[in-house]
């Protein structure tokens, strides 16, 4: 069985783009792949976090993934900081990483302008390489912004293997289905995003019914007034894509159903399906989140599984390097 490792930062709010672009895909892959979902808390603290809120966010991310369908009997979910192998391997990889490789990282350049710079932010891609390489990962689901980091993981794996002997599998990017891309409700040229400055752009998984309906009502459309197969502007196509995803339909089926309906009528139908689905997820979320003991058990199992795999890789690394 192939291994897929995904990393999710416990920061920002999860939105329906994450649900359809990421979580749902993993849910579908659970039977064919060994999915390891890691909450990247050590990555998150490279940007200042409120310590009181961080614990809460970590648990929220875990519970949301479970509520959205990650099945702990099939997949594994764990918290990065609970497996010390990650920081250990990152240190060893540091010794084969050049300054130039990290100085080139566009995310580092961007983030160190926006936030107070720190060495953790600089070293972030090396820790991410360690996350990936510890599990002999076959595929890593990554968005555009993480491709350069995955490239570094591949380079470091090759460098280590050629310098010390074969240990690491070379991971590949798992390209997420492009049709699953959901755009901002306020600007259909921009991806729906956690960091959108306009709060009306994204529907968050934990939004209230009122918020969901309000955001859909205010979503931008175009100059016509009813749905027509040929006229499809980016704004309307995006709303139709969301409708199709939530109903498990193709866009073609959706056009057949909705052709001729006014935008107002369509928005009401769209709000109904989104509200129904998100309230279901929220109900499961509340149950999971409230049962701290059960949540802890899932995370313990996830951590034990993670360590059982990563410790084998790390032992080989130590042997090759001469540390044991
Ligand atoms: P991010 O929210 O950028 O940390 O992304 C987390 C995951 O969600 C990535 O795997 C992305 O591919 C996916 N994702 C983020 N935003 C969208 C979006 N607007 N549409 C589809 N997938 C998305
Ligand atoms: N850096 C990734 C992000 O911001 C999160 C992440 C950390 C990750 N470690 C990973 C993703 C390992 C994939 C594999 O989205």
């Amino acid at each position: 069985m192939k291994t897929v490792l995904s990393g999710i930062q416990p920061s920002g709010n999860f939105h329906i783009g994450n649900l359809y672009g990421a979580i749902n895909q993993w849910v579908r892959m659970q039977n064919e792949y060994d999915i390891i979902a890691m909450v990247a808390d050590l990555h998150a603290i490279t940007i200042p976090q409120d310590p009181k809120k961080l614990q809460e966010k970590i648990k929220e991310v875990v519970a949301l993934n479970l509520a959205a369908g990650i099945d702990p009997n099939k997949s594994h979910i764990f918290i990065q900081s609970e497996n010390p192998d990650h920081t250990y391997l990152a240190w060893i990889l540091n010794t084969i990483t050049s300054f130039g490789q990290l100085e080139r990282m566009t995310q580092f350049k961007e983030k160190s302008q926006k936030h107070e710079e720190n060495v953790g932010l600089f070293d972030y891609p090396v820790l991410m390489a360690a996350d990936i390489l510890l599990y002999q990962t076959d595929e890593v689901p990554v968005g555009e912004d993480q491709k350069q980091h995955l490239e570094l993981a591949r380079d470091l794996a090759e460098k280590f293997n050629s310098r010390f002997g074969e240990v690491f599998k070379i991971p590949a990017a798992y390209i997420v289905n492009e049709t699953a891309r959901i755009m901002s409700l306020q600007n259909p040229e921009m991806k729906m995003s956690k960091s959108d400055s306009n709060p009306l752009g994204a529907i968050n998984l934990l939004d209230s019914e009122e918020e969901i309906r309000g955001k859909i009502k205010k979503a931008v459309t175009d100059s016509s007034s009813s749905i027509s197969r040929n006229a499809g502007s980016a704004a309307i196509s995006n709303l139709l894509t969301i409708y199709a995803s939530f109903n498990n339909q193709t866009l073609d089926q959706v056009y057949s159903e909705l052709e001729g309906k006014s935008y107002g009528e369509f928005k009401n139908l769209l709000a109904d399906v989104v509200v129904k689905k998100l309230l279901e997820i929220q109900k499961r979320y509340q149950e999971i989140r409230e049962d701290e003991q059960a949540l802890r058990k899932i995370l313990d199992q996830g951590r034990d599984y993670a360590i059982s795999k990563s410790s084998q890789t790390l032992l080989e690394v130590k042997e090759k390097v001469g540390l044991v």
Side-chain angles (χ1 to χ4, degrees), residues 15 17-18 21-22 141-143 145 176 180-183 191-192 194:
H15 53 69
N18 298 131
V142 278
D145 63 332
V176 171
R181 175 170 289 222
I182 290 178
M183 312 308 283
K191 199 171 89 142
M192 185 176 282
K194 285 177 187 165

Side-chain angles (χ1 to χ4, degrees), residues 13 15 184-186 190 192-204 207 211-212 214-216 218:
N13 289 315
H15 53 69
S184 160
L185 299 185
Q186 290 296 312
M190 241 175 53
M192 185 176 282
S193 157
K194 285 177 187 165
S195 51
D196 193 341
S197 56
N198 185 344
L200 294 176
I203 298 179
N204 298 319
D207 277 351
E211 285 169 316
I212 299 168
K215 286 177 183 179
I216 292 178
K218 294 193 194 96

Side-chain angles (χ1 to χ4, degrees), residues 157-175:
E158 277 164 8
K159 191 162 173 185
F160 186 96
N161 287 349
S162 72
R163 187 173 294 183
F164 296 102
E166 249 354 85
V167 174
F168 298 123
K169 189 176 264 184
I170 311 298
Y174 176 85
I175 303 301

